[in-house]
Amino acid sequence: MKNFFIKISVYTLFLMVITNCATSKKTSVVSNLQKDSFIEDAKVYNALPKSERKTFLKDSDAETRWVDSIYSKMSVREKLGQLFMVSAYSNKDSIHENSVEKLIDEYKVGGLIFFQGSSIRQAKLTNEYQAKAKVPLFIGLDAEWGLSMRLDSTYVFPWNMTLGAIQDLSLITQVGIQMGAEAKRMGIHFNFAPVLDINTNPKNPIIGNRSFGESKTNVSDKAVALMNGVQSQGVFTTGKHFPGHGDTSTDSHYTLPLVTFSKERIDLVELYPYKRMFDEGLASVMVGHLNIPSLESKENYPSSASYNVVSNLLQKQMGFEGLIITDGLAMKGASDFKGAGDLELAVLLAGNDIFLGPENVPVAMIKLESYYKEGIITEARLSESVKKILRYKFKVGLNTYKPVEIKSLIADINPAQNEALSYKLYENAITVLKNEKEILPIKDLSQKIAYVKLGDDINSSFLSTLKKYTEVTEVSNTDIDSLNTELKKYDTVIIGYHKENKTWAKQDFSDKEMLWLKEIARHNKVILAVFAKPYTLLAITNFEDIKGLVVSYQNSSVSQIVSAELIFGAVAAKGKLPVSINKSFPVNHGLSTEKLNRLGFTAPENENMNSQILSKIDSIAKKAIDGKMTPGMQVLVARKGNVIFQKSFGTFTYENGSKQVNNSDLYDVASLTKMISTLPNVMQLYDRNKVKLDTKLKRMVPLFSKTDKANISFKDLLTHYAGLQAWIPFYKATLNSDNTPMDKYYSKVANAQFSTKVADNLFLRNDYHDTIMKLIAESPLSLKKEYKYSDFTFIILKEYLERKTKKPLEVLSKKNFYRSLGMNNTLYNPLTTFDKNNIAPSEVDTYFRHQVVQGHVHDMAAAMEGGVAGHAGIFSNAMDVAKMMQLFLQKGNYGNKTYFSTATFDVFNTSYYAAEGVQRGLGFDKRVKKDGPTCGCVSEASFGHTGFTGDIAWVDPETEIVYVFLSNRTYPEVTSEGNKLARENIREEIQQIIQNAIIK
């Protein structure tokens, strides 16, 4: 109590001093940081009485009977053997395996700690070793970020430092649950985690990212949450490294680190999380090899061998009754203290129960047996630890040991939930430290954005995801001045600093990188995303020129994807800095950013979709390709605003060596043009009261005023209920008898009279558009009013739009939608912008253009319109199409920008002639029954469109699913067999899989 009042007095005096010193804004900020830090340090945790502590597993009479029965039959060697937990590897040869078996057979060791190897091999070895043991073995693993810390073919969870930034503790518990379940499936009883070290030394060589941070309350909160998750699965957790390795400058693997803090400081800070954990039911503690003069007066005496630390402090003063385990005894911090046998004696007499990773078991065992005979190790002392060990073996089920089942092991320890959880973790961890003038999120997608990579590790997921939002150009140069000259062309520069995603990897900026960062930021508007530990920022002394600063913590694929989402607003920033960065950013600093309703990316399970079922799409795609229904395709599925499946299959053509389809490649989307180009522009005019449902065609396009089509209403036109002819093969009238283009209509070179480009080296007479419109105007109408799908509707609507706005359709679509939606891969005549190698060919034309049609529109009428038509002509990819479909799903709003009203969307998504059997909205196909293009498994509220080249884009508002399928099924030709892709119901089968994947 006396010490407590001294602390409060000092704290009060400190506050008075810093308050009086706060004479400027800068000083005040620094002072506030100091105050916050002092308040944090001064917090006292009052431990619960032992009777009120939670227990992981209750003691029982059955446990006592089993323990006594086993212990009573043990020889001295068998008892001593229980104290040993020896090192084992699953990536070493038979010599190592035989040596482990010998330790089990001859020295009766009680447990194994596995290190590097593979999961299958470790499981098999676990079974073999367990079969050799008279008393089942404890199996332990350092799995601080999951099994992957030691084993390949396993999932890598984020490091503790990353988890330390998360504010939602339920997510940390979920991490623990996953870790515990996977450890249990592997036959592991101890996860030697969590690390409870409070990392107050940024230069700590061994803890760093393994710590939850520098705040004792944050470390405690996260550790308790993780422990609860792991132990809920029947696996023990181990708090380490007692009493605290967080403020050391050396590594106990190589030397004995010195901790110079007073006993009071250690009690107030380092022991804080242990007190919390003990009250919450921590099963075991690992004692570190540390030199702490304030706790152990003997010079250079490891804490693991100190009776004062292990027995007096840990057990008596703090009341810990769980298993006490040494840190690895082969570590220099311990092995330099005493040799084999003497070291084990010292740590046993200090109060430890288990010797972890001893250096020489045979020598140690002989010495310990001798010490037992001499009475240096008493039966009471031995019984205390051995019976405790046996109790814990009973608690973890080793009284009824069962071998590890090898079948389906890899799948079981790599559930889809891991990836889903990882997305949530990074969404909650990634931290924005600076957001000057709300540069984040980037709202204006029309600006020019550059990306510059710093660091030496991969950046593919970050850059590819950035490019899914808008056009982002990667700029590089070997000279900083030349680089800055190039960057002058851009409005915003995103710098990604990418370092190797390994816990102990060096992640500091090089001198060159620091210079480049400084110079780029000085001359440009910069957003810096740091894919490395937050301590990397310590080298930056002035953040003034950096306008946006994002700490992404790790350079994992998910971290890169989520960081790109954050930059463009698909997710909001939620993380808080777990450590302080000099005086610039205090611990727990983190800015919130605005969430925009743009498409994001996540794992299917996060949107209640089953990824295993969705994976069946792959087999349907293979079926289509193998059956030569289409050479390749893109498939995208989004739900509730997140893309959950995006994959490309096959190649551009059937020829050997043909280019593999990538997600960024473009397809001719044929009639999807109607829905993603013409229709949204028409909806905007309707929204602005420029046209109404009963507006007549004669008012929209005067050309029709003296025809039998004059009184067709806007509503009938868009529902294909106007009786228009389906189409006219306009091109046939322009061909010779041998189907070659007539010189009267075409030229091989462009000139003033022939400038309408139809294909490579083929130009149509400029006035032929008038002929097309005249032919439509003169075409016959149905004698009775009935549904008939017609391309004429959208050819006419293009004419109307351009007349009304006095702008070409391609300009309207880009200006009104594509630019601000980030649909930079959606356009007419893509060869003006994209390389032909990034555009799938649609046909080998032998009847009109007589060439491979690649980058020019497949539809003949659209080609004769110079590639820009209301019914066809758009090239795009699945990602861009999904953006427009998401805009429709969100009823006119995307990226928090309103393009048209909800009311307008509802008007267009209504089937006005449903009673007559017409399942069409205004421009939208709504046929969801047998005669429609869907699986028949979507709701009647759903809508979309198909395309002749083998496409479908469909939205179901009830399930909030967007489905996009793009292909070039018309390549190399449309055969007499017809549309095999449609006949085999490929698109419908995939849609059915999507519906089946919904987790009810």
Side-chain angles (χ1 to χ4, degrees):
M1 183 61 74
K2 179 181 177 183
N3 287 337
F4 175 77
F5 282 116
I6 290 172
K7 292 169 195 168
I8 296 301
S9 300
V10 172
Y11 167 62
T12 304
L13 179 61
F14 183 79
L15 281 182
M16 291 172 63
V17 171
I18 62 175
T19 302
N20 290 334
C21 291
T23 56
S24 69
K25 183 177 180 181
K26 184 174 182 180
T27 305
S28 177
V29 171
V30 174
S31 299
N32 286 334
L33 301 191
Q34 292 170 332
K35 278 194 292 185
D36 291 343
S37 176
F38 197 91
I39 292 169
E40 161 75 17
D41 286 348
K43 285 181 182 176
V44 175
Y45 180 75
N46 295 313
L48 296 172
K50 283 186 183 180
S51 61
E52 295 180 21
R53 285 181 174 175
K54 296 178 184 176
T55 53
F56 172 42
L57 288 171
K58 304 285 187 183
D59 295 340
S60 68
D61 292 339
E63 175 185 300
T64 301
R65 287 194 299 271
W66 184 81
V67 169
D68 289 343
S69 69
I70 297 295
Y71 190 81
S72 65
K73 299 172 187 175
M74 281 180 159
S75 66
V76 172
R77 172 163 288 197
E78 287 171 336
K79 293 174 183 177
L80 288 169
Q82 287 299 306
L83 308 177
F84 289 86
M85 200 165 188
V86 301
S87 301
Y89 292 77
S90 57
N91 64 351
K92 291 190 175 183
D93 57 19
S94 59
I95 295 173
H96 168 74
E97 292 169 15
N98 291 337
S99 70
V100 174
E101 289 188 4
K102 183 176 180 181
L103 294 178
I104 297 168
D105 282 337
E106 295 185 21
Y107 297 96
K108 315 302 180 185
V109 297
L112 305 175
I113 172 174
F114 273 99
F115 287 91
Q116 282 73 22
S118 70
S119 48
I120 293 290
R121 186 67 188 138
Q122 178 174 312
K124 289 180 177 179
L125 285 173
T126 296
N127 289 343
E128 291 174 19
Y129 294 148
Q130 290 283 21
K132 296 280 184 182
K134 183 177 178 182
V135 178
L137 302 164
F138 268 149
I139 304 296
L141 192 81
D142 288 309
E144 295 168 20
W145 49 90
L147 300 175
S148 64
M149 186 171 177
R150 297 297 187 220
L151 301 176
D152 58 27
S153 304
T154 54
Y155 197 82
V156 184
F157 287 100
W159 303 326
N160 283 353
M161 185 68 75
T162 306
L163 300 182
I166 295 171
Q167 304 305 296
D168 184 351
L169 292 177
S170 68
L171 291 173
I172 312 301
T173 300
Q174 189 59 47
V175 173
I177 290 170
Q178 295 298 113
M179 286 182 177
E182 289 158 29
K184 187 172 185 177
R185 180 65 179 84
M186 283 289 299
I188 294 167
H189 313 112
F190 280 95
N191 179 354
F192 292 125
V195 171
L196 301 185
D197 302 318
I198 299 162
N199 206 74
T200 48
N201 182 356
K203 296 182 179 179
N204 192 315
I206 188 59
I207 303 302
N209 283 320
R210 299 167 67 196
S211 168
F212 291 112
E214 70 179 52
S215 159
K216 67 184 185 184
T217 53
N218 188 40
V219 169
S220 301
D221 290 342
K222 302 305 190 299
V224 168
L226 190 76
M227 174 193 72
N228 286 338
V230 173
Q231 295 193 166
S232 73
Q233 301 304 297
V235 174
F236 299 129
T237 55
T238 306
K240 62 186 185 183
H241 307 83
F242 188 84
H245 204 325
D247 200 339
T248 59
S249 57
T250 55
D251 180 357
S252 53
H253 288 84
Y254 306 108
T255 188
L256 184 64
L258 176 65
V259 177
T260 60
F261 293 130
S262 68
K263 186 183 295 185
E264 289 76 16
R265 146 71 196 231
I266 292 170
D267 177 68
L268 198 62
V269 179
E270 275 70 24
L271 298 184
Y272 187 95
Y274 288 95
K275 295 173 184 177
R276 287 273 312 276
M277 294 285 276
F278 296 168
D279 283 353
E280 295 292 334
L282 180 65
S284 61
V285 166
M286 182 182 291
V287 183
H289 309 309
L290 304 164
N291 177 14
I292 313 175
S294 64
L295 299 181
E296 176 52 70
S297 59
K298 296 173 188 175
E299 190 173 350
N300 294 322
Y301 210 86
S303 51
S304 53
S306 168
Y307 186 87
N308 284 332
V309 172
V310 182
S311 289
N312 287 338
L313 175 60
L314 178 57
Q315 295 183 80
K316 295 176 182 177
Q317 293 180 34
M318 299 183 72
F320 183 66
E321 296 179 342
L323 280 171
I324 302 173
I325 307 168
T326 70
D327 205 346
L329 293 183
M331 296 164 62
K332 292 296 184 181
S335 62
D336 284 351
F337 173 61
K338 289 181 184 291
D342 294 324
L343 177 59
E344 283 78 5
L345 175 67
V347 298
L348 178 64
L349 296 181
N352 293 280
D353 300 309
I354 293 178
F355 314 145
L356 191 65
E359 205 163 26
N360 192 326
V361 175
V363 170
M365 179 62 78
I366 291 169
K367 284 193 173 185
L368 291 178
E369 287 175 328
S370 174
Y371 291 137
Y372 181 83
K373 289 177 184 177
E374 295 171 17
I376 297 172
I377 299 175
T378 66
E379 171 59 25
R381 177 67 193 92
L382 184 59
S383 168
E384 178 188 344
S385 285
V386 175
K387 285 191 173 183
K388 191 194 294 186
I389 289 167
L390 292 174
R391 282 189 175 278
Y392 275 75
K393 286 191 174 182
F394 183 94
K395 292 178 192 297
V396 85
L398 283 175
N399 59 311
T400 56
Y401 164 74
K402 293 179 182 178
V404 179
E405 176 62 55
I406 304 301
K407 184 180 179 182
S408 75
L409 179 64
I410 295 296
D412 290 346
I413 62 174
N414 290 283
Q417 288 85 350
N418 286 352
E419 186 82 351
L421 178 58
S422 192
Y423 270 97
K424 289 182 180 179
L425 294 171
Y426 282 108
E427 286 168 9
N428 282 269
I430 295 174
T431 308
V432 172
L433 297 184
K434 193 174 180 190
N435 192 16
E436 191 171 308
K437 294 183 179 178
E438 295 187 333
I439 191 173
L440 296 167
I442 295 175
K443 295 180 180 178
D444 178 12
L445 301 186
S446 66
Q447 63 179 296
K448 295 193 70 178
I449 301 172
Y451 164 80
V452 175
K453 180 192 175 186
L454 294 180
D456 54 11
D457 203 31
I458 57 174
N459 67 332
S460 54
S461 294
F462 184 54
L463 183 56
S464 64
T465 308
L466 289 174
K467 288 183 174 183
K468 288 178 181 180
Y469 284 101
T470 189
E471 184 175 354
V472 176
T473 306
E474 184 171 15
V475 180
S476 62
N477 203 294
T478 56
D479 177 74
I480 184 59
D481 293 328
S482 300
L483 179 64
N484 267 326
T485 299
E486 289 185 58
L487 292 175
K488 286 180 181 178
K489 297 182 288 187
Y490 298 91
D491 302 301
T492 299
V493 178
I494 299 169
I495 299 176
Y497 179 65
H498 301 269
K499 296 299 289 185
E500 189 178 17
N501 195 40
K502 291 186 177 178
T503 314
W504 293 284
K506 184 176 174 58
Q507 297 186 325
D508 299 330
F509 287 100
S510 67
D511 291 342
K512 178 184 176 182
E513 288 165 342
M514 283 298 300
L515 174 64
W516 280 46
L517 174 60
K518 179 181 177 181
E519 288 302 305
I520 296 170
R522 192 159 64 91
H523 292 95
N524 301 278
K525 187 168 71 172
V526 162
I527 296 168
L528 172 63
V530 178
F531 296 93
K533 61 187 177 185
Y535 289 131
T536 302
L537 296 172
L538 289 169
I540 303 175
T541 57
N542 188 341
F543 292 90
E544 189 173 338
D545 289 332
I546 298 171
K547 306 307 178 187
L549 179 57
V550 181
V551 179
S552 303
Y553 296 98
Q554 296 180 231
N555 199 37
S556 69
S557 176
V558 175
S559 175
Q560 291 185 34
I561 291 169
V562 174
S563 296
E565 288 183 275
L566 186 149
I567 287 171
F568 284 104
V571 298
K574 300 175 184 175
K576 301 292 183 184
L577 198 60
V579 294
S580 55
I581 305 301
N582 296 322
K583 295 178 180 178
S584 302
F585 305 108
V587 65
N588 209 39
H589 174 70
L591 304 175
S592 298
T593 57
E594 184 180 1
K595 185 183 186 306
L596 308 179
N597 58 349
R598 287 178 179 146
L599 279 171
F601 303 88
T602 194
E605 279 68 20
N606 284 336
E607 300 302 349
N608 288 324
M609 299 288 283
N610 186 308
S611 55
Q612 189 171 357
I613 293 175
L614 284 174
S615 68
K616 294 178 182 179
I617 292 173
D618 293 24
S619 63
I620 304 300
K622 185 176 186 302
K623 171 184 170 182
I625 293 165
D626 291 348
K628 291 196 172 350
M629 302 173 211
T630 180
M633 68 197 75
Q634 294 175 345
V635 181
L636 181 147
V637 182
R639 190 178 195 203
K640 297 182 179 179
N642 280 307
V643 175
I644 57 171
F645 185 99
Q646 184 184 11
K647 209 166 183 180
S648 294
F649 303 90
T651 53
F652 273 14
T653 71
Y654 295 114
E655 286 78 32
N656 290 333
S658 177
K659 180 183 180 297
Q660 292 283 331
V661 181
N662 295 317
N663 288 340
S664 58
D665 290 330
L666 305 188
Y667 278 95
D668 179 339
V669 301
S671 284
L672 294 192
T673 299
K674 299 177 173 79
M675 183 173 61
I676 69 172
S677 178
T678 312
L679 185 62
N681 284 294
V682 170
M683 292 171 80
Q684 277 197 344
L685 288 185
Y686 178 88
D687 198 58
R688 295 165 187 168
N689 294 316
K690 302 296 183 182
V691 65
K692 298 180 180 180
L693 293 184
D694 58 359
T695 300
K696 305 303 182 187
L697 183 55
K698 61 186 176 185
R699 291 190 56 194
M700 295 169 62
V701 182
L703 171 67
F704 293 92
S705 60
K706 295 182 179 180
T707 71
D708 55 358
K709 303 167 187 66
N711 291 316
I712 292 174
S713 70
F714 179 75
K715 180 175 74 174
D716 288 354
L717 189 67
L718 276 163
T719 53
H720 298 279
Y721 204 60
L724 293 172
Q725 190 174 331
W727 74 302
I728 295 174
F730 302 110
Y731 72 99
K732 287 189 175 181
T734 66
L735 302 180
N736 294 308
S737 58
D738 61 356
N739 287 336
T740 57
M742 295 172 62
D743 292 341
K744 174 182 177 182
Y745 297 107
Y746 297 96
S747 170
K748 292 182 179 179
V749 295
N751 56 46
Q753 187 180 357
F754 297 87
S755 63
T756 302
K757 191 169 187 178
V758 174
D760 290 336
N761 304 313
L762 190 63
F763 298 87
L764 180 66
R765 264 174 46 174
N766 297 342
D767 60 359
Y768 205 81
H769 168 73
D770 297 334
T771 301
I772 290 173
M773 294 306 300
K774 183 172 182 292
L775 288 170
I776 292 173
E778 295 173 353
S779 65
L781 273 180
S782 296
L783 294 177
K784 63 176 182 177
K785 193 172 184 180
E786 61 182 352
Y787 165 76
K788 183 181 287 187
Y789 180 81
S790 174
D791 281 345
F792 292 174
T793 291
F794 284 88
I795 295 174
I796 293 168
L797 285 171
K798 172 180 178 286
E799 189 79 5
Y800 164 65
L801 283 167
E802 293 183 342
R803 177 178 171 275
K804 189 73 175 178
T805 65
K806 297 181 171 52
K807 290 185 177 67
L809 178 58
E810 66 268 36
V811 173
L812 282 175
S813 293
K814 183 175 182 180
K815 176 177 176 291
N816 293 341
F817 294 94
Y818 300 161
R819 187 181 297 164
S820 55
L821 286 169
M823 293 175 65
N824 298 93
N825 300 291
T826 304
L827 71 170
Y828 293 95
N829 293 319
L831 291 174
T832 60
T833 305
F834 291 89
D835 188 279
K836 184 177 284 190
N837 291 329
N838 298 119
I839 307 168
S842 56
E843 188 176 25
V844 179
D845 184 339
T846 59
Y847 55 87
F848 172 29
R849 290 157 284 195
H850 300 279
Q851 59 185 266
V852 175
V853 178
Q854 186 172 11
H856 295 290
V857 62
H858 173 267
D859 183 272
M860 294 75 76
M864 296 174 76
E865 294 277 43
V868 182
H871 70 294
I874 283 290
F875 287 73
S876 189
N877 58 34
M879 185 69 226
D880 269 20
V881 172
K883 292 175 185 177
M884 183 63 77
M885 301 311 288
Q886 190 68 27
L887 169 68
F888 291 142
L889 178 58
Q890 292 168 184
K891 296 190 174 186
N893 192 286
Y894 188 90
N896 291 25
K897 176 180 177 179
T898 298
Y899 292 82
F900 45 80
S901 69
T902 296
T904 289
F905 174 79
D906 288 339
V907 166
F908 278 72
N909 192 36
T910 298
S911 295
Y912 291 94
Y913 296 106
E916 289 79 10
V918 181
Q919 299 300 316
R920 287 271 179 178
L922 301 184
F924 293 120
D925 191 347
K926 294 179 64 63
R927 295 172 298 150
V928 296
K929 297 178 181 176
K930 288 183 179 179
D931 64 330
T934 72
C935 57
C937 54
V938 291
S939 75
E940 293 192 359
S942 68
F943 59 90
H945 216 286
T946 55
F948 185 78
T949 49
D951 317 306
I952 187 171
W954 207 269
V955 171
D956 190 342
E958 290 192 5
T959 57
E960 299 181 70
I961 288 175
V962 171
Y963 164 44
V964 180
F965 178 105
L966 305 182
S967 75
N968 56 336
R969 67 101 189 166
T970 51
Y971 188 91
E973 61 181 345
V974 179
T975 67
S976 57
E977 288 183 298
N979 188 344
K980 192 176 179 183
L981 187 81
R983 197 169 62 249
E984 295 290 332
N985 295 316
I986 296 299
R987 293 167 294 187
E988 293 89 337
E989 282 191 39
I990 290 176
Q991 191 173 43
Q992 183 68 65
I993 288 171
I994 295 166
Q995 292 299 117
N996 293 345
I998 298 172
I999 300 171
K1000 300 294 193 281

